Amino acid sequence: HCKEYGFIFQSSEIYDGLGAVYDYGQYGAELKRNIREYWWRSMTQMHDNIVGIDAAIFMHPTVWKASGHVDNFSDPMIDNKDSKKRYRVDHLIEGFAETLEKEKGDALLQQMDALLAANDFAGLKQLIDDNKMKCAVSGTCNWTDVRQFNLMFSTEMGSVADDANVVYLRPETAQGIFVNFLNVQKSGRMKIPFGIAQTGKAFRNEIVARGFIFRMREFEQMEMQFFVRPGTQKEWYEKWKETRMKWHLSLGISPDHYRFHDHVKLAHYADAACDIEYDFPMGFKEVEGIHSRTDFDLKQHQQFSGKKLTYFDTEINQHYIPYVIETSIGLDRAVMMILSEAYEEQDLSTAEKQDSRVVLKLPAMLAPFKLAVLPLLKKDGLPEIARELMDQCRPHFRCFYEEKDTIGKRYRRMDAIGTPFCVTIDHQTKEDGTVTIRYRDEMTQERIPLSSVK
Ligand code: GAP
């Protein structure tokens, strides 16, 4: 559907594509932009104490040393010696656990979580061997040892290719916020607690990249770092969990389709962390992470840069390095979530005729187009009236104009891209100044004055 209707295309498709990289088409780009805008407004416009920035993708290489990404941003991997296929160890074990009875599978996952938390690679290998887990390609259990694999992409800056010039494509947008913490705080005269939000591209050399736009090598994040007084982080962590869940529910998605998942293995920077998971067609999976990142990042940047990154809290007369609560949602995953929720195949057959439609029940605020303006015929002055309505509405919201095909076909095309309202201009419009408005979800129609369409 995404390809057929111009939402998402495989990158470089005419060259057989590039693994786990995707392009957004004409409707996908609008949908993605609307989600981004909604997030941006809810973070910045709706909060006195959150501002947004736009940091560069390239950053000084020491940033990634300080953040721990050079040393720690890796996944334990294992290769099958016969097929040469490489697996993320957790994915291999999770896949195997799914083939077991629920109780046995859960016990296995618990064992895996404990071994991952302890970075016990020999133990993980043993677990794979003991359970005789097989490679899906070769069907054998002939495994290498478990090894770490760094996920950052690197490139060179400047003309001389030596180590000093290596720069990384950022694997998260968060660090652009941390290194600008004092710039924003001072120039914006921000008082703690306050937040800095940012949206932008991130890059990870994911080994097992699958699941369409769920796990990509180039993707977009929407992150917010909220700086708080040390000791208050637990309270803010809970508050942000609640606030973010409310945001999700405001998209009109049923609460049954969401759940929180607390992390067992905490990232190197966190003292508490959870995911908001959505019930995708392939099961519950993470869309957003909420992390209590302590003062880890600012402390590290202070140490590696040699620049003071403390804040003077006038209320308690103290200098300190703030603690941070982070909310981090993948924009592409949010697109996939919204599409999964909205997509519906409906059988509309009656005794007289077979009929069906595919409809995207997108929230109107996120739909690529809000209104389709459809003159019934290409003549009799109907297109002129339709064009006038377009001119009236298009400065305010995205409108679609179409005069080809039967009205039924045009409605179906609008259903498939999620346009909530279609307005048809017909001969009666010329007589009494009314139009037919058709509602996407119920497919009901009514006549309203042309002048009230906007
Ligand atoms: N700054 C914290 C951070 O980056 P993360 O849990 O690694 O945390 C946050 O990523 C969010 O970014 C995830 O919840 C997910 O929605 C999205 N994300 C991460 N890796 C992704 C990938 N390879 N493709 C698409 N989205 C991804």
Side-chain angles (χ1 to χ4, degrees):
H1 189 85
C2 282
K3 182 179 169 182
E4 188 77 21
Y5 285 94
F7 281 86
I8 300 166
F9 309 123
Q10 196 178 14
S11 157
S12 326
E13 192 191 338
I14 57 168
Y15 292 98
D16 295 334
L18 183 66
V21 185
Y22 290 90
D23 299 337
Y24 285 81
Q26 63 277 28
Y27 304 128
E30 293 284 347
L31 172 63
K32 186 178 174 194
R33 201 175 62 86
N34 291 341
I35 299 173
R36 190 194 296 112
E37 291 250 335
Y38 180 57
W39 180 90
W40 182 265
R41 263 190 295 120
S42 70
M43 280 295 175
T44 59
Q45 194 170 322
M46 301 307 286
H47 287 96
D48 288 340
N49 58 349
I50 302 180
V51 291
I53 65 165
D54 184 8
I57 287 171
F58 287 136
M59 302 184 74
H60 194 284
T62 312
V63 166
W64 305 110
K65 195 77 195 141
S67 67
H69 283 83
V70 170
D71 298 322
N72 293 316
F73 193 56
S74 45
D75 279 333
M77 313 293 288
I78 194 164
D79 293 9
N80 183 270
K81 288 185 196 163
D82 299 321
S83 67
K84 312 277 182 259
K85 191 169 161 52
R86 182 167 287 169
Y87 292 83
R88 247 176 76 171
V89 166
D90 56 337
H91 288 177
L92 179 69
I93 300 176
E94 277 166 8
F96 180 76
E98 277 171 19
T99 66
L100 303 176
E101 283 167 26
K102 176 144 182 20
E103 235 168 70
K104 281 192 183 151
D106 288 349
L108 184 72
L109 292 180
Q110 262 185 10
Q111 265 179 295
M112 175 188 82
D113 283 340
L115 292 165
L116 283 171
N119 274 333
D120 184 351
F121 298 151
L124 285 164
K125 172 78 191 319
Q126 198 63 48
L127 193 69
I128 291 167
D129 287 342
D130 290 349
N131 285 278
K132 300 197 172 47
M133 292 182 207
K134 290 195 178 101
C135 165
V137 177
S138 68
T140 69
C141 307
N142 193 9
W143 299 107
T144 61
D145 286 337
V146 172
R147 284 170 302 198
Q148 290 284 63
F149 188 93
N150 197 292
L151 300 181
M152 280 197 295
F153 284 102
S154 61
T155 185
E156 285 140 23
M157 191 171 249
S159 52
V160 190
D162 63 30
D163 272 355
N165 293 315
V166 166
V167 287
Y168 297 100
L169 297 186
R170 66 182 178 196
E172 61 171 13
T173 60
Q175 298 304 323
I177 294 178
F178 289 123
V179 300
N180 279 300
F181 159 70
L182 268 194
N183 282 337
V184 173
Q185 189 271 318
K186 292 212 160 111
S187 58
R189 296 161 59 236
M190 308 297 290
K191 270 191 161 8
I192 271 177
F194 73 91
I196 305 178
Q198 162 161 243
T199 71
K201 289 276 187 164
F203 304 83
R204 296 182 190 178
N205 197 2
E206 300 282 1
I207 299 310
V208 185
R210 63 170 167 233
F212 192 34
I213 55 169
F214 183 83
R215 196 177 303 284
M216 300 153 88
R217 296 200 166 100
E218 173 179 342
F219 57 101
E220 198 164 332
Q221 290 186 315
M222 307 191 287
E223 300 199 298
M224 193 277 301
Q225 313 293 325
F226 198 72
F227 299 90
V228 305
R229 190 183 287 168
T232 63
Q233 70 270 23
K234 274 253 153 343
E235 194 183 308
W236 282 109
Y237 174 68
E238 293 303 328
K239 200 166 160 49
W240 277 108
K241 270 176 77 171
E242 191 190 316
T243 307
R244 291 306 301 150
M245 187 54 96
K246 268 195 196 145
W247 183 87
H248 280 271
L249 296 177
S250 76
L251 299 170
I253 296 177
S254 153
D256 304 345
H257 292 180
Y258 284 114
R259 71 179 186 199
F260 282 111
H261 167 79
D262 291 321
H263 286 201
V264 178
K265 182 180 193 268
L266 290 174
H268 59 273
Y269 48 72
D271 73 356
C274 68
D275 299 331
I276 293 179
E277 294 186 339
Y278 170 75
D279 193 5
F280 284 98
M282 70 280 194
F284 274 100
K285 302 262 181 221
E286 169 186 354
V287 245
E288 171 154 8
I290 300 163
H291 311 123
S292 174
R293 287 181 82 127
T294 68
D295 57 357
F296 175 84
D297 302 86
L298 289 179
K299 223 178 189 168
Q300 289 290 103
H301 287 307
Q302 174 166 287
Q303 187 193 330
F304 277 74
S305 67
K307 309 273 162 37
K308 237 179 160 180
L309 292 180
T310 52
Y311 168 83
F312 181 64
D313 191 328
T314 48
E315 272 179 36
I316 52 171
N317 247 348
Q318 264 180 34
H319 288 276
Y320 56 75
I321 294 182
Y323 269 48
V324 171
I325 306 301
E326 167 183 75
T327 72
S328 173
I329 174 168
L331 177 52
D332 311 272
R333 271 189 208 179
V335 170
M336 188 156 156
M337 171 177 79
I338 295 289
L339 285 172
S340 309
E341 187 74 16
Y343 182 88
E344 223 174 276
E345 291 171 10
Q346 295 179 337
D347 183 0
L348 306 172
S349 301
T350 57
E352 289 80 49
K353 73 170 180 139
Q354 291 238 316
D355 196 11
S356 66
R357 70 165 182 165
V358 169
V359 55
L360 286 185
K361 291 187 167 175
L362 295 169
M365 66 175 173
L366 301 183
F369 288 90
K370 317 300 180 197
L371 175 70
V373 178
L374 315 170
L376 188 64
L377 299 174
K378 269 190 250 178
K379 55 182 189 185
D380 301 339
L382 303 184
E384 286 73 10
I385 303 175
R387 281 287 174 199
E388 244 175 65
L389 181 61
M390 280 294 286
D391 290 344
Q392 223 186 74
C393 294
R394 73 190 330 163
H396 306 281
F397 45 84
R398 201 83 163 82
C399 306
F400 192 91
Y401 179 86
E402 189 162 45
E403 50 186 44
K404 279 191 294 288
D405 286 331
T406 63
I407 207 74
K409 275 194 186 151
R410 282 184 265 171
Y411 283 157
R412 287 292 188 274
R413 273 203 294 275
M414 287 300 109
D415 289 343
I417 65 166
T419 308
F421 309 105
C422 292
V423 157
T424 305
I425 317 290
D426 56 18
H427 290 99
Q428 195 183 326
T429 312
K430 286 190 0 189
E431 285 159 23
D432 65 5
T434 64
V435 294
T436 303
I437 185 160
R438 185 241 191 204
Y439 301 97
R440 176 196 66 200
D441 296 350
E442 305 81 20
M443 293 191 289
T444 49
Q445 303 184 11
E446 62 177 319
R447 285 204 84 90
I448 61 166
L450 180 60
S451 56
S452 71
V453 170
K454 183 183 141 251

